[in-house]
Amino acid sequence: MMRLLALAPLCVTGLVAPAAPAKNLIARHEASASMPFLEKPKNLDGTLAGDVGFDPLGLSEIDDLGVDLYWLREAEIKHGRVAMLATTGVIWVEIFGPLPGWPAADGRSQMDVFWDAWEEHPNAVVAGLVFITAIELVSGVATTAGRASGERAPGDFGLNPLKFEVTEAMALKEVKHGRLAMWAVMGQIGAGLATHDPAFGNLENFFA
């Protein structure tokens, strides 16, 4: 009987699989393509155009009060498009001048010229703000409906008068150009407010 009791622990341990090494229990996370020293964000799987896993602030993981990855991509594309128009507009006016009846820069920043336009054409400025508000309301409805149905890509309003072929390459170009334009317009505004010089003047002074 004593012999059987002595062999019992050996029988039990023989039926239990040995514990796996601790190193095999640690899940290996994929590194971000843009920042290899950080973990790849879980919601950025590469399906969105321009997604290189860059999200050091963790914004892609927000999912509260109607804000999620779909809403954030919609906002990025919208702001990128506005920035491209704004950056081009500043350059156009500095090269070719303003529309007839609107104040000229005369060597000043377009940020300063805006206040001249506000004083001379306040109704036009207010009408522009009302128009932008209307667009925001319409786009907000489209964004909400598109997110709920899953049938609309972020930023897709079906506006393609020149019939460009919609490809992944074109989508990537739009995102890249939009991001660059957002940096550019921030530079134009910041430098204009700081120096009161036109954009090309600030560029010339930078390389002088």
Side-chain angles (χ1 to χ4, degrees), residues 134 144 191:
T144 303

Side-chain angles (χ1 to χ4, degrees), residues 117-178:
W118 172 257
E119 292 180 0
E120 297 180 15
H121 305 282
N123 293 337
V125 176
V126 172
L129 294 176
V130 172
F131 178 72
I132 293 173
T133 302
I135 292 179
E136 284 295 310
L137 292 175
V138 172
S139 64
V141 173
T143 302
T144 303
R147 177 172 51 188
S149 66
E151 298 178 355
R152 173 186 176 272
D156 182 10
F157 292 95
L159 182 64
N160 188 11
L162 299 181
K163 304 300 181 182
F164 286 114
E165 183 182 0
V166 180
T167 63
E168 293 184 2
M170 289 292 290
L172 179 59
K173 290 178 181 178
E174 181 183 31
V175 171
K176 284 186 173 182
H177 292 163

Side-chain angles (χ1 to χ4, degrees), residues 51-95:
D51 175 13
V52 291
F54 181 80
D55 185 21
L57 299 180
L59 299 179
S60 63
E61 299 181 10
I62 297 176
D63 189 7
D64 190 20
L65 298 177
V67 178
D68 56 8
L69 187 59
Y70 182 97
W71 187 91
L72 292 171
R73 170 40 64 100
E74 180 85 20
E76 180 184 28
I77 293 177
K78 183 187 299 181
H79 284 85
R81 290 168 178 171
V82 172
M84 286 188 280
L85 289 172
T87 305
T88 306
V90 170
I91 296 174
W92 177 275
V93 172
E94 289 198 4
I95 294 176

